[in-house]
Amino acid sequence: MTTETTAERVTVDLHVRSLTPRAGHGRQEAVIERLERLADTGQIHEFSVHVWGRQVSLSTAAARTDAGQNVLDRVERFREWAADTDRSISSFFETRRVSSQMTEESYVALVLPMFTLAEYHDGELAYVAPCSDGDGVCTVTDRLDTLEHSTTVTETLEADGNGQLIAEEAEE
C-alpha cells in the first residue's frame, strides 16, 4: 500500500443560523470544539464560522442585499457541487412560503439548515454537509468523523457519499 504525501490546504467554513441558538447550542459548541481540535492537530489548516440566519426571503428586497445575495450565491455553489458529485442538498435547503400573522403578508423563503459545513481543498469546494447520495445522509457530524479519522489531508478526497473513508491499495 502506498501513502500519498502531497498535502492539500484544507479549510472548513461552518455556517450557522445563530451563535446563540435556542435549540442545539450544545451541538454547536461540540462542532466548533471538534473543528478547533482538527485545526490544532493539523488535519485542517483553518476554519471559519459564518452566521447566515434561519432563512432568506426570495421574494423581498432582502434577497437583493449584499448579505442576502451572499447567502444565495453560496447555496447555489453548494447545489452545483451536489449536482457535480451525484449528491443532493435539496432536502436540507427547503424553499417554502412563509406567512406573517402580524402583517398578513406572505413571501417565499429559503430555509437554511442549523449547521452547514463546506470543506475546501486548495480553495476548491470539495464537500458539503449535510448532503445525501440516494443511499444515505452525511451529516456535519459524519463529515467531522471522516476528517478526524483521516491520517493525511488527501485521504479525505477518497471518502464515499456517507463520509466514510474508502481504503485503496496500490501495487508497487
Side-chain angles (χ1 to χ4, degrees):
M1 184 160 90
T2 61
T3 303
E4 178 66 50
T5 58
T6 304
E8 293 182 308
R9 181 171 174 77
V10 175
T11 58
V12 172
D13 286 345
L14 178 67
H15 301 275
V16 298
R17 288 182 176 176
S18 169
L19 291 177
T20 56
R22 285 179 260 158
H25 182 68
R27 281 187 16 205
Q28 179 175 299
E29 286 293 310
V31 167
I32 292 172
E33 287 172 2
R34 288 179 76 182
L35 287 168
E36 288 172 341
R37 279 194 306 274
L38 286 166
D40 289 345
T41 60
Q43 289 172 288
I44 63 173
H45 288 87
E46 64 185 12
F47 74 94
S48 300
V49 178
H50 305 273
V51 177
W52 64 1
R54 184 184 186 296
Q55 62 191 16
V56 176
S57 170
L58 301 176
S59 57
T60 66
R64 294 186 303 273
T65 65
D66 287 343
Q69 198 57 55
N70 183 38
V71 172
L72 295 175
D73 289 348
R74 195 162 295 232
V75 172
E76 182 58 29
R77 287 194 357 242
F78 295 168
R79 286 184 172 134
E80 290 169 2
W81 168 86
D84 290 346
T85 60
D86 294 325
R87 291 182 176 86
S88 175
I89 63 166
S90 61
S91 62
F92 308 104
F93 292 84
E94 295 182 83
T95 301
R96 57 172 87 140
R97 180 161 295 287
V98 179
S99 299
S100 170
Q101 293 178 347
M102 290 179 59
T103 64
E104 296 183 9
E105 296 175 346
S106 67
Y107 58 91
V108 176
L110 174 65
V111 180
L112 304 165
M114 187 170 294
F115 308 108
T116 302
L117 183 142
E119 179 183 330
Y120 297 87
H121 293 210
D122 291 332
E124 295 293 321
L125 184 60
Y127 209 91
V128 176
C131 67
S132 62
D133 66 358
D135 293 328
V137 170
C138 180
T139 66
V140 169
T141 301
D142 294 333
R143 191 61 188 168
L144 290 173
D145 290 345
T146 298
L147 289 168
E148 286 173 342
H149 292 103
S150 65
T151 56
T152 64
V153 172
T154 55
E155 267 189 346
T156 58
L157 286 176
E158 298 170 14
D160 68 12
N162 294 320
Q164 303 300 312
L165 287 176
I166 300 170
E168 290 187 357
E169 291 189 34
E171 291 184 22
E172 297 184 286

